[in-house]
C-alpha cells in the first residue's frame, strides 16, 4: 500500500495557565498536527515548532513550508511508507529537525497501528509507567511560585523543574529548598546566561539540584564544558542537542553529564534512539523533555520514555496541567502518584477527537500524490 493523502492542520490551543521562561510569557501554543492516511488507518504526528524562533530557529511557518513543499513530496514521489525509509530519504535536506520529526512520528504511529501493537513495542520499550515531573514557569512572585509547586506536589508529581533567568534564580532556589529540603528539584535556564556569569551559576551548587539545564545558548558547547568543570551539579543540555553528532560532541567535550531528549528537537524517533543508545554506552542517563505538546505529541513522548536509559523523571505531565480540553480522549492523567501509564492501544494508543482538532484549527491543507 501507499500513503493516500497527508493532512496538515495549524492549531492554536490556550494554556490553562500562562507559561513563562527566559524567552518571555506565553498564553497559548501554536503547532502543526500531521495526519497520514493509508488503507483506512490514520497515523498522527505533532510538530513542536513554535510560533516564534526563540527556543529553536524553526517556526510553525518554516515547518509548514518544509513539510508541505519538501518532505511530503518526497514521501509521495518515492512511495515511502516506512519511517526508516523516510528517515534515510529526508537526510538529503539540511536542518529542520522539528519539521522532519512531525512527519516521522505520523509514520511511526501508522506503522504500529498496521501491526496492531503499541508504538514502543516496535523498538523495545521496557516500562509500562513513566516517572512524571512537572515544569513550572516563572511567576510574578516567589510566593505564587511556591503555591503552584505545592499544588503540583499535591497532585503527585515526583519532581519539580523550575525556569530560571538572571534575577530569578538563587533566591528562588533558596526559598524552595527552605520549604522542601528533600524535593527532587532542577532548574532550566533556556540559555539565559553567558560564561561571564560562571561564578554566579556556581552558587547553584548549594541547592542540591538534580541538574541545571541549558545555562548557555545552544551553540556554546565549549562554554558549557568549561562551566561543567567548575560545578558539582550535573549540567543537562536541551537546546544544544539537535542530532546524534551534537550529542556525541557534547559528551566527548564534557559539556554535560545528562541529556534531555526531545524527539522533535533531534528530528524524530530514529535519531532520538541513536542518541539514547549512545548515551547508554557512554554511561550517561537521559530523560524526556517536552514542548507543552497536545496529547498527541505527549503520547509519542510517553512511548520514547519507555526505553531503558531514561533514568530521570521526565517533563511528562497530565493533560490538565497544560490544556482545558486536550485533543485526546480520555486525557492523559497520573495513574498513581508520580507516574503516567503508557497507553497500550495500537500506535500511540490515544484517541484524537476530530471535532476538537477542527475547532482549534486555523489553517488546513490536504496533500495528495
Ligand atoms: O526548555 O524544556 C524546555 C516548553 C517549551 C519549550 C521549551 C521547554 C519547555 C518546558 C515544558 O519546559 C515541558 C513540558 O512540556 O512539560
Ligand atoms: Mg529545557
Amino acid at each position: 500500500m501507499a500513503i493516500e493523502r497527508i493532512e496538515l492542520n495549524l492549531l492554536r490551543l490556550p494554556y490553562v495557565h500562562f507559561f513563562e521562561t527566559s524567552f518571555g510569557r506565553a498564553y497559548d501554543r501554536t503547532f502543526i498536527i500531521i495526519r497520514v492516511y493509508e488503507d483506512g488507518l490514520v497515523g498522527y504526528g505533532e510538530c513542536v515548532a513554535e510560533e516564534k524562533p526563540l527556543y529553536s530557529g524553526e517556526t510553525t511557518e518554516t515547518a509548514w513550508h518544509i513539510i508541505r513543499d519538501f518532505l511530503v513530496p518526497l514521501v509521495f514521489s518515492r512511495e515511502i511508507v516506512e519511517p526508516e525509509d523516510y528517515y534515510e530519504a529526508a537526510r538529503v535536506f539540511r536542518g529542520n529537525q522539528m519539521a522532519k520529526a512531525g512527519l516521522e512520528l505520523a509514520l511511526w504511529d501508522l506503522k504500529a497501528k498496521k501491526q496492531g501493537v503499541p508504538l514502543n513495542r516496535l523498538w523495545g520499550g521496557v516500562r509500562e509507567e513513566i516517572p512524571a515531573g512537572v515544569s513550572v514557569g516563572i511567576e510574578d512572585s516567589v510566593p505564587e511560585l511556591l503555591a503552584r509547586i505545592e499544588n503540583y506536589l499535591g497532585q503527585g508529581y515526583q519532581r519539580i523543574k523550575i525556569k530560571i533567568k538572571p534575577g530569578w534564580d538563587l533566591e528562588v532556589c533558596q526559598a524552595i529548598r527552605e520549604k522542601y529540603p528533600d524535593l527532587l528539584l532542577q532548574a532550566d535556564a533556556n540559555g539565559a546566561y553567558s560564561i561571564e556569569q560562571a561564578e554566579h551559576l556556581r552558587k547553584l551548587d548549594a541547592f542540591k539540584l538534580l541538574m541545571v539545564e541549558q545555562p548557555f545558548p545552544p551553540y556554546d558547547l565549549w562554554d558549557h564544558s568549561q562551566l561543567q568543570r567548575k560545578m558539582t551539579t550535573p549540567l543537562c543540555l536541551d537546546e544544544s542537542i539537535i542530532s546524534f553528532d551534537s550529542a556525541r560532541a557534547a559528551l566527548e567535550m564534557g559539556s554535560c553529564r545528562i541529556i534531555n531528549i526531545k524527539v522533535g528537537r533531534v528530528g524524530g524517533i530514529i535519531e532520538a534512539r541513536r542518541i539514547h543508545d549512545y548515551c547508554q554506552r557512554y554511561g550517561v542517563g537521559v530523560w524526556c523533555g517536552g514542548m507543552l505538546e497536545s496529547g498527541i505529541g505527549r503520547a509519542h513522548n510517553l512511548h520514547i520514555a519507555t526505553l531503558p536509559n531514561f533514568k530521570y523523571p521526565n517533563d511528562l505531565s497530565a493533560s490538565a496541567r497544560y490544556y482545558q480540553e486536550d485533543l485526546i480522549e480520555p486525557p492523559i492523567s497520573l495513574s498513581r502518584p508520580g507516574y503516567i501509564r503508557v497507553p497500550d492501544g495500537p500506535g500511540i494508543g490515544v484517541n484524537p477527537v476530530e471535532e476538537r482538532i477542527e475547532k482549534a484549527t486555523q489553517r488546513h491543507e490536504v496533500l495528495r500524490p
Side-chain angles (χ1 to χ4, degrees), residues 245-307:
D245 300 285
S246 57
R248 189 175 53 181
L251 297 193
E252 290 291 345
M253 227 187 274
S255 309
C256 63
R257 294 188 196 140
I258 299 172
I259 283 182
N260 164 333
I261 289 188
K262 292 181 182 171
V263 291
R265 194 192 63 232
V266 304
I269 286 176
I270 295 174
E271 195 76 2
R273 280 167 45 212
R274 289 183 68 206
I275 295 171
H276 166 274
D277 295 353
Y278 179 76
C279 287
Q280 188 167 31
R281 287 197 299 277
Y282 214 94
V284 163
V286 306
W287 56 282
C288 183
M291 296 286 292
L292 306 170
E293 290 93 340
S294 81
I296 294 172
R298 214 142 1 91
H300 278 284
N301 292 346
L302 286 170
H303 284 277
I304 197 78
T306 61
L307 291 173

Side-chain angles (χ1 to χ4, degrees), residues 15 19 21 23 29 48 50 55 98 133-137 159 161-163 188-191 213-214 238-239 260 262 265 287-293 298 301 314-317 321-322:
Y15 297 137
F19 189 69
T21 66
F23 303 130
R29 176 159 188 85
V48 297
E50 298 178 304
Y55 170 87
M98 292 177 174
V134 61
S135 173
V136 190
R159 177 280 265 151
K161 165 170 134 181
I162 60 161
K163 294 291 186 174
D188 184 1
N190 289 108
E213 190 176 333
Q214 199 70 43
D238 173 353
E239 284 92 323
N260 164 333
K262 292 181 182 171
R265 194 192 63 232
W287 56 282
C288 183
M291 296 286 292
L292 306 170
E293 290 93 340
R298 214 142 1 91
N301 292 346
N314 307 281
D315 277 351
L316 278 163
S317 316
R321 180 259 171 271
Y322 308 97

